[in-house]
Amino acid sequence: MKSVSLVICCFNEEAVIPALFERIAALEASLASYRLEVVCVNDGSTDGTLEALLAQQRARPGVVVLDLSRNFGKEAALSAGLAHASGDAVVPIDADLQDPPELIPQMLQKWEEGFEVVLARRSDRSTDSVSKRVAAGWFYRVHNAMSDIRIPADVGDFRLLDRCVVEVLNSLPESRRFMKGLFAWAGFRTATVDYRREPRASGRSHFGGWRLWNLAVEGITSFSLMPLRVWSYVGALVATASLAYGAFILVRTLVYGRDWPGYASLIVAILFLGGLQLIGIGIIGEYMGRTYLEAKRRPAYVVRKVFREEPPA
C-alpha cells in the first residue's frame, strides 16, 4: 500500500484545528487504497495550537506533531515537515483550509500517471483582497523576468511531491529557504490541477504587507543576480550622462564665456548620485547579509520535541 503524507504548518491556528481534522478524516475515507500520514508542525504558536494538535493525535493515532523551539517562519516549518514526512507522496497544505483537501485524490491521479510534481493552481482568488492579488501578480512578473528559475503564477505551497523530489529538497544545504523557488528549481515532470481558493476557516492571515514584502525580497535575492548586475548599467548610464553634460558645459563656456553654475542644480546632482549610491550599497548589503547568514551554517529550524503515537497493530 502506497503512503501519502500531509505536511501542515501551524502558527496560532487553535480555532481551525477541529475543522481541519474533520476534513482530513473525510479525505482518509476516500483514500482507502493509500495509507495516510499527517505531519503537523507547530511553529512556535502562542495560543493552544499544540494542545489542540495533541488532542487530535490522541483521537487519531498515527499523527506526527513537531513542536519547534520558537517561531522560525513558514519556510523553515515547511522544511521541518518535509524532513519528517515518510510518505511515497508528500502534500504540503495550509491549516486554514483555504486549500481544499478534497483536491488531493485528483492530484494523486496525476501522480499515478507518472508525474513527480502536481501543482495546485488557484484559478479563482476572489477570496483574497484586491491588494493581495495585485501584489502577487506583480511579484510573479518581476521574479520571472529577473530570474532564470520561473515560479508558476498563482501556485502556493499546496502541491504533491513524489518521494524523489522530497529527497532532493531535503538534501539542499541552505538555511535561508524560499520554498516556492526551491520547488521550481528542483524541476521533475510536472502536472497542474486548478481549484477555487476558499475563504479562511477561521481568523485572519498572519502574512501582512511587510512580511509579504520581505518574502518577495527573499525570493528575488535567492534566485537572481539581476539586482546586482543592474547597478553596473546604472553606473555606466550615469557616467555617460555626466561626461555628456561636462562636454556640453565646456562647449558652452568656450562659446559664451565663463559660466557660473547654480547652487540648486549642484545640490540636486549631489543628492541624486548619493541616493543612487545608497541604493546600490543597500542591494549589495542584502546579498552580503545572505552570504553571512549562510556561512554560519546554522540549521533552518530547531525541533523541541517530536510527538508520535504509532497506530495499534
Side-chain angles (χ1 to χ4, degrees), residues 134-290:
V134 171
W138 273 107
F139 166 72
Y140 289 119
R141 284 199 222 35
V142 171
H143 183 281
N144 291 337
M146 298 174 66
S147 175
D148 294 333
I149 304 299
R150 297 184 60 83
I151 297 178
D154 296 321
V155 175
D157 296 326
F158 185 34
R159 63 189 69 206
L160 183 145
L161 306 170
D162 186 84
R163 169 50 51 184
C164 63
V165 183
V166 175
E167 294 297 336
V168 169
L169 295 171
N170 289 338
S171 70
L172 298 179
E174 59 226 69
S175 57
R176 299 293 298 269
R177 302 168 73 86
F178 177 64
M179 296 306 296
K180 291 182 181 64
L182 294 180
F183 289 145
W185 175 89
F188 291 94
R189 294 188 61 203
T190 302
T192 302
V193 295
D194 292 331
Y195 75 102
R196 181 183 180 276
R197 190 160 168 82
E198 300 180 6
R200 284 182 60 89
S202 178
R204 59 186 182 83
S205 174
H206 302 296
F207 273 84
W210 182 244
R211 291 189 67 181
L212 289 172
W213 167 258
N214 287 332
L215 184 64
V217 172
E218 187 81 17
I220 291 173
T221 55
S222 293
F223 287 91
S224 175
L225 294 178
M226 182 62 72
L228 287 174
R229 190 175 299 124
V230 73
W231 286 101
S232 300
Y233 301 113
V234 171
L237 181 62
V238 171
T240 302
S242 300
L243 290 174
Y245 187 62
F248 168 75
I249 292 176
L250 176 62
V251 172
R252 190 176 65 175
T253 302
L254 292 174
V255 174
Y256 296 104
R258 189 174 181 181
D259 181 66
W260 294 95
Y263 173 79
S265 60
L266 181 63
I267 202 68
V268 167
I270 291 174
L271 292 177
F272 174 70
L273 292 176
L276 285 181
Q277 290 171 346
L278 289 175
I279 293 173
I281 291 172
I283 292 176
I284 294 172
E286 185 72 32
Y287 282 90
M288 288 186 64
R290 289 187 57 84

